[in-house]
């Protein structure tokens, strides 16, 4: 049977005719050379549709392409007008006292943050706490009956443990956690302080960073000093100094809407 991949020109002995129709060359082909009339008469017996597929050197082709790009006036080099006109200004963070170069003094900011007690304050009056105190009292009586010196040591240890350790766990729902979870990601970088025109302008203001630190525990359902915290920030240099410009929101690297949180504090103080 005849080969299904051979073309009808196989009888002529032409290599191009013997190639299967699915064959594709991957090398770069050179354009066909111009043939003079005299040579065309001498090659009249050959196939006129044959093309010279002799491969060229890839390095020569790349060099020619590069030279064309450099010398061709139809491909001018494009420069960014924005890059030429833009100006990058590097300076210390506004509102802070420069120490050297770009280093500023952030001690005043952290003093204002510590002013509003950025830690959990919880008054434990649960039944579990009373039960633990009762058990501790019974153990204390047993120890005092054996050794009078152990009574004094036990009382001191009990008083210290009552001040530092909670007697019941802090329970919280996911909804209650969502009220302050994003606020707890604040890194106290001071960018909101520098963007605030009130703080950076030198006015008496604790600053947005201190207000966010206070709001984090004001919104925490486990904290039992919400009213006292609101009274602490309701001062002339506290939340009253905020003018709701909301410039503090834009530079926050943690995605906190500082301006919105400040407005929520204003509403909570008015309640």
């Amino acid at each position: 049977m005849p080969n299904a991949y051979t073309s009808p020109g196989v009888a002529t002995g032409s290599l191009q005719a013997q190639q299967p129709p699915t064959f594709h060359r991957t090398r770069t082909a050179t354009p066909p050379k111009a043939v003079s009339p005299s040579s065309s008469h001498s090659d009249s017996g050959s196939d006129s549709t044959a093309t010279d597929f002799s491969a060229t050197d890839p390095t020569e082709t790349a060099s020619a392409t590069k030279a064309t790009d450099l010398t061709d006036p139809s491909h001018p080099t494009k420069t960014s007008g924005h890059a030429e006109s833009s100006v990058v200004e590097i300076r210390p963070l506004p509102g802070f006292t420069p120490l050297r170069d770009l280093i500023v003094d952030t001690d005043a900011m952290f003093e204002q943050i510590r002013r509003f007690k950025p830690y959990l304050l919880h008054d434990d009056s649960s039944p579990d706490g009373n039960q633990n105190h009762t058990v501790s009292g019974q153990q204390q009586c047993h120890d005092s009956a054996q050794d009078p010196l152990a009574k004094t040591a036990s009382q001191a240890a009990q008083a210290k443990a009552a001040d530092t350790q909670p007697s019941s766990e802090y329970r919280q729902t996911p909804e209650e956690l969502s009220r302050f979870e994003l606020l707890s990601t604040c890194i106290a970088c001071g960018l909101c302080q520098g963007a605030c025109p009130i703080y950076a302008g030198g006015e008496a203001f604790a600053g947005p960073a201190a207000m966010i630190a206070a709001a984090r525990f004001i919104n925490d359902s486990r904290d039992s000093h919400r009213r006292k915290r609101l009274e602490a920030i309701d001062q002339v240099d506290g939340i009253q100094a905020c003018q709701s410009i909301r410039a503090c929101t834009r530079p926050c690297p943690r995605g906190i809407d500082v301006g919105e949180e400040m407005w929520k504090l204003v509403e909570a103080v008015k309640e």
Side-chain angles (χ1 to χ4, degrees):
M1 295 182 64
N3 190 353
Y5 292 98
T6 58
S7 59
V10 68
T12 63
S14 175
L15 294 177
Q16 184 179 4
Q18 293 178 2
Q19 295 170 356
T22 57
F23 178 79
H24 298 284
R25 294 184 181 274
T26 58
R27 304 297 296 272
T28 306
T30 57
K33 300 180 180 179
V35 182
S36 61
S38 59
S39 61
S40 62
H41 289 292
S42 62
D43 298 338
S44 58
S46 60
D47 190 359
S48 61
T49 60
T51 306
D52 186 8
F53 286 94
S54 59
T56 59
D57 189 4
T59 58
E60 296 179 358
T61 305
S63 301
T65 304
K66 184 177 181 180
T68 304
D69 292 340
L70 294 176
T71 58
D72 190 0
S74 61
H75 298 82
T77 304
K78 296 182 179 180
T79 58
S80 175
H82 177 71
E84 296 177 354
S85 61
S86 60
V87 177
V88 178
E89 181 181 0
I90 301 178
R91 57 177 178 146
L93 197 63
F96 296 87
T97 303
L99 297 179
R100 64 180 183 275
D101 296 333
L102 301 178
I103 302 176
V104 296
D105 186 7
T106 58
D107 290 344
M109 180 184 69
F110 286 104
E111 287 178 4
Q112 295 295 339
I113 292 177
R114 288 190 292 266
R115 167 186 169 186
F116 299 108
K117 300 180 181 180
Y119 44 85
L120 197 64
L121 298 175
H122 184 77
D123 295 333
D124 190 5
S125 59
S126 61
D128 295 339
N130 296 333
Q131 182 179 359
N132 292 338
H133 286 299
T134 303
V135 174
S136 300
Q138 293 176 354
Q139 182 67 27
Q140 177 185 352
C141 294
H142 178 71
D143 296 339
S144 60
Q146 295 179 353
D147 188 1
L149 296 178
K151 178 180 180 181
T152 305
S154 177
Q155 289 177 349
Q158 181 182 358
K160 184 177 180 180
D163 294 338
T164 59
Q165 297 180 359
S167 57
S168 63
E169 64 179 347
Y170 299 150
R171 299 181 180 181
Q172 195 171 61
T173 63
E175 292 77 14
E176 293 172 339
L177 174 63
S178 63
R179 297 175 185 174
F180 70 93
E181 185 175 14
L182 183 60
L183 300 178
S184 64
T185 63
C186 174
I187 58 176
C189 60
L191 293 180
C192 59
Q193 304 263 116
C196 177
I198 308 301
Y199 184 86
E203 300 293 335
F205 184 29
M211 295 294 102
I212 290 298
R216 180 255 178 272
F217 292 96
I218 289 175
N219 296 324
D220 194 339
S221 61
R222 301 169 299 176
D223 193 275
S224 57
H225 288 229
R226 175 182 171 85
R227 178 50 53 186
K228 294 181 180 180
R229 293 183 183 275
L230 290 175
E231 293 175 356
I233 66 172
D234 188 16
Q235 305 295 331
V236 177
D237 61 341
I239 197 62
Q240 297 179 10
C242 178
Q243 298 183 6
S244 300
I245 301 175
R246 301 200 176 196
C248 50
T249 298
R250 293 191 296 268
C252 180
R254 308 301 294 178
I256 302 175
D257 192 347
V258 183
E260 181 65 20
E261 296 298 331
M262 299 282 283
W263 179 254
K264 292 180 179 178
L265 290 178
V266 173
E267 293 296 324
V269 169
K270 292 181 180 179
E271 292 178 358

